[in-house]
Amino acid sequence: MILQNGVIAPDFKLYATPDQKLQLSELRGKRVILAFYPADWSPVCGDQMALYNEMLKYFHKYNAEIIGISVDSKWCHLAFEESRNLHFPLLSDFEPKGLVAKMYGAYNDDEGQSRRALFVIDEAGVIQWSYLSPEGINPGADGILDALEKMSNVNS
């Protein structure tokens, strides 16, 4: 079972580039969308990440940053980001393999990869929405935008 609403998002630090790491707690004060996905080069994952790249301006409107996470290596992410012209970080949950995905309940032991799971985390680091999608289906962005809108209505 993936982590649910009201749980403090476990902190982690993973490679965002071949020589730089990103720590979740560095983003406190912003809303964070974590998008766990199975693999960089799968067709569904490519479509999902391309969609989120197109949605960046809408996420930023809600003071939210999106981060993709899979068990692919930092070098695999670099090639994937460049080929898709992505403008948000993809973090490498490579070693120990899937540790962060396991912390969020989003690891598929049978396949040895992340599940397709989404988390929206508020400015204080608390999970406000989570969703586990079937692995072969792009979950889109509607659920993320609904969660961000709901959080904005609560705060206003």
Side-chain angles (χ1 to χ4, degrees):
M1 174 185 267
I2 62 172
L3 296 181
Q4 299 294 306
N5 301 4
V7 174
I8 295 173
D11 197 20
F12 57 82
K13 189 173 188 176
L14 294 172
Y15 278 102
T17 69
D19 58 356
Q20 293 181 321
K21 288 186 172 184
L22 187 148
Q23 187 164 4
L24 179 63
S25 59
E26 294 172 358
L27 298 173
R28 286 280 160 83
K30 288 188 163 257
R31 296 171 179 163
V32 178
I33 304 155
L34 296 182
F36 289 91
Y37 63 99
D40 282 343
W41 299 99
S42 83
V44 176
C45 297
D47 290 347
Q48 182 184 4
M49 295 302 117
L51 172 65
Y52 295 159
N53 201 47
E54 295 297 317
M55 298 297 295
L56 285 175
K57 65 182 175 186
Y58 298 101
F59 297 152
H60 291 162
K61 178 179 156 189
Y62 292 103
N63 190 32
E65 298 293 333
I66 186 161
I67 298 170
I69 303 176
S70 79
V71 298
D72 294 296
S73 76
K74 53 192 176 185
W75 297 105
C76 186
H77 280 329
L78 182 64
F80 183 65
E81 287 170 349
E82 288 178 358
S83 77
R84 303 295 172 120
N85 198 27
L86 299 178
H87 298 287
F88 61 92
L90 299 178
L91 303 185
S92 178
D93 195 10
F94 184 71
E95 186 62 38
K97 185 177 181 182
L99 177 64
V100 174
K102 290 173 185 171
M103 291 166 44
Y104 282 78
Y107 189 74
N108 182 334
D109 286 308
D110 294 334
E111 299 289 330
Q113 61 191 22
S114 300
R115 293 180 172 168
R116 197 174 306 281
L118 301 170
F119 299 87
V120 176
I121 301 167
D122 69 15
E123 296 87 341
V126 178
I127 296 171
Q128 294 297 321
W129 180 79
S130 60
Y131 177 72
L132 179 63
S133 175
E135 290 193 15
I137 296 176
N138 181 344
D142 290 347
I144 295 168
L145 291 173
D146 288 347
L148 292 170
E149 179 71 28
K150 184 178 175 184
M151 291 164 65
S152 292
N153 290 336
V154 169
N155 292 337
S156 61

